Amino acid sequence: MARAIPAKLVEDTARELTARAAIDIPPDYLEGVRRARDAEPNRLARFVLTEMLQNWEIATEDRRPMCADTGLPRYYVRVGNEATVEGGFVALERALRRATAEATAAIPLRPNRVHPLTRVDHNNNVGVHAPEVTYAFEPGWDWIDLTTVHKGGLFGTDYRMLFPADGIPGIKRFFIDTLVEFGKRGLACQPAIVGIGIGGSKDTCMRLGKEAACLRAVGSRNPDPAIAELEDELTALGNRIGIGAMGFAGTSLVVATHVEVAYSHTGGMPIAMHEFCLSSRRATARIHPDGRVAFRTDPQWFTDYYRRAGIE
C-alpha cells in the first residue's frame, strides 16, 4: 500500500499554489496574449494589450496579485487510484480551507466570499460550499494533482438548450450571440479563453464549459478532429465580430476556444459557454507520497480516462 500523503503537505502546497495563481500568469496564456497584441490592427486595443503584459510583469516582480479582484479561489483535485491522504479526504478538504483562509490574509487576496442574502463576510474566502472542491480520478497512480483556480464569480457564463437540428450553425450562433452580449455590456474582461461544454445535462455542460476554459492550456486541442476543427472555427469567428481587448474595437476578443462534450439526451443538445477572463489564474502541483511536490502551470485535467467513452 502506498504511503499516505500528509494533510499538512496538502495545506502547504495549496497555500503556495494560491499565491502562484494570484500572481503569475500561465505562460501559455501569456504567449497567446502576445500573439493577439502583435496581430491587433486597432491602435487602442493594441495599447491595452501592451499595458496588460506590462502589468503582469510588474505583478511577478513585486509578488503582488495581478488584479485587484482576485476572484473566487477553488480547487480541482485529480486523485490517483492508489493515493491515500493522512486523515482521509475530510482532512484534505480541511487543509484546503485552512490554506485558503491563510493565503487570503498573507498574499493578500480580496475576501470576496459573502453570504448571498445576509452578506456576512468571514474575510477569508471560506464559507458554505466555499471554496469549491471538484474531484476526478486516474487509474494506477499514488499521487494527487492539486490545481488552484481563481475565477471571477460575476459574469462570463451562459447556457442555452439547443436541439439536434440546430447542429453546428446553432452552436456558432449561440457562441457569437453570447460574445456580443457580454462584450457590449462589459460582462467579461477580454481577451478571454472561452470554454464550451456541449451535451450531458444542464449541470454537466456548465461544468465542462468552466473546466474547458480554466483547465486546458492555450494551444491544446481536443483529440477528436471534428471538435478540434470546431474550436478553430469558433476562435476565428470570435475575433471577426469587431470587439477587441476590454471591449474596444479590434480583433483580440478570444485567445483560444476549448470545446468539451458529454453524451446527452437524444432529444436535445444543451450548450454552455464560459469565459476565463484576462486574469487567467491557475496553478498546479503533483504531490507524491514520498513528500516530493512538482509545480507546473498545465493542469492536465482532460486525460484519456477523464474523456473515456466505453465500458472498461
Side-chain angles (χ1 to χ4, degrees):
M1 179 177 293
R3 187 187 314 173
I5 295 172
K8 184 62 166 60
L9 181 59
V10 173
E11 180 180 337
D12 292 344
T13 303
R15 191 167 51 247
E16 173 63 21
L17 284 172
T18 299
R20 293 187 182 210
I23 295 168
D24 300 312
I25 281 284
D28 56 279
Y29 178 73
L30 193 64
E31 180 57 30
V33 172
R34 286 197 185 105
R35 288 197 300 268
R37 189 270 311 273
D38 294 344
E40 176 58 70
N42 182 279
R43 181 186 59 81
L44 188 53
R46 190 167 59 251
F47 168 79
V48 170
L49 291 167
T50 299
E51 291 300 303
M52 287 178 184
L53 292 165
Q54 292 176 351
N55 176 70
W56 295 332
E57 290 178 5
I58 293 169
T60 296
E61 290 173 3
D62 291 351
R63 306 312 298 161
R64 302 289 289 180
M66 68 182 80
C67 179
D69 182 354
T70 51
L72 300 178
R74 63 180 301 141
Y75 299 94
Y76 292 90
V77 183
R78 189 157 64 99
V79 182
N81 193 51
E82 309 305 317
T84 58
V85 178
E86 192 176 74
F89 281 87
V90 169
L92 178 143
E93 293 190 340
R94 287 173 176 162
L96 297 181
R97 292 170 81 86
R98 283 195 299 270
T100 302
E102 292 163 3
T104 297
I107 294 172
L109 305 178
R110 195 167 78 181
N112 280 333
R113 297 280 194 172
V114 300
H115 188 286
L117 302 180
T118 66
R119 315 312 286 180
V120 166
D121 186 349
H122 296 157
N123 292 315
N124 60 10
N125 282 308
V126 176
V128 180
H129 297 296
E132 297 90 345
V133 182
T134 302
Y135 294 93
F137 299 92
E138 200 71 19
W141 299 101
D142 60 1
W143 41 252
I144 291 175
D145 272 0
L146 180 61
T147 297
T148 302
V149 169
H150 297 238
K151 179 65 194 72
L154 294 178
F155 307 110
T157 302
D158 204 358
Y159 165 84
R160 186 176 296 178
M161 174 57 77
L162 301 179
F163 296 95
D166 291 318
I168 300 297
I171 293 171
K172 292 179 178 178
R173 184 165 53 249
F174 167 71
F175 179 77
I176 294 298
D177 287 350
T178 306
L179 283 179
V180 170
E181 184 66 18
F182 288 172
K184 72 181 183 180
R185 295 175 60 196
L187 299 184
C189 295
Q190 297 94 6
I193 302 172
V194 180
I196 305 289
I198 304 173
S201 55
K202 180 176 183 178
D203 59 324
T204 301
C205 72
M206 292 289 283
R207 172 179 58 81
L208 283 175
K210 177 171 283 190
E211 292 177 0
C214 299
L215 300 177
R216 278 181 53 187
V218 173
S220 66
R221 294 170 64 81
N222 191 292
D224 184 321
I227 297 175
E229 182 179 355
L230 178 61
E231 292 175 334
D232 292 341
E233 291 177 358
L234 291 175
T235 298
L237 278 173
N239 288 328
R240 286 204 298 264
I241 64 177
I243 301 175
M246 294 303 291
F248 293 102
T251 62
S252 48
L253 187 63
V254 181
V255 170
T257 306
H258 300 151
V259 178
E260 296 294 332
V261 301
Y263 277 36
S264 61
H265 190 284
T266 185
M269 189 171 66
I271 181 170
M273 178 169 146
H274 187 92
E275 293 189 49
F276 199 12
C277 73
L278 60 90
S279 296
S280 293
R281 295 164 290 213
R282 55 171 152 80
T284 298
R286 178 163 295 176
I287 308 172
H288 295 272
D290 62 4
R292 288 179 295 124
V293 179
F295 292 92
R296 64 179 194 269
T297 56
D298 183 352
Q300 300 171 13
W301 180 259
F302 286 95
T303 64
D304 291 342
Y305 181 75
Y306 194 62
R307 290 182 173 123
R308 65 197 184 279
I311 301 170
E312 300 162 51

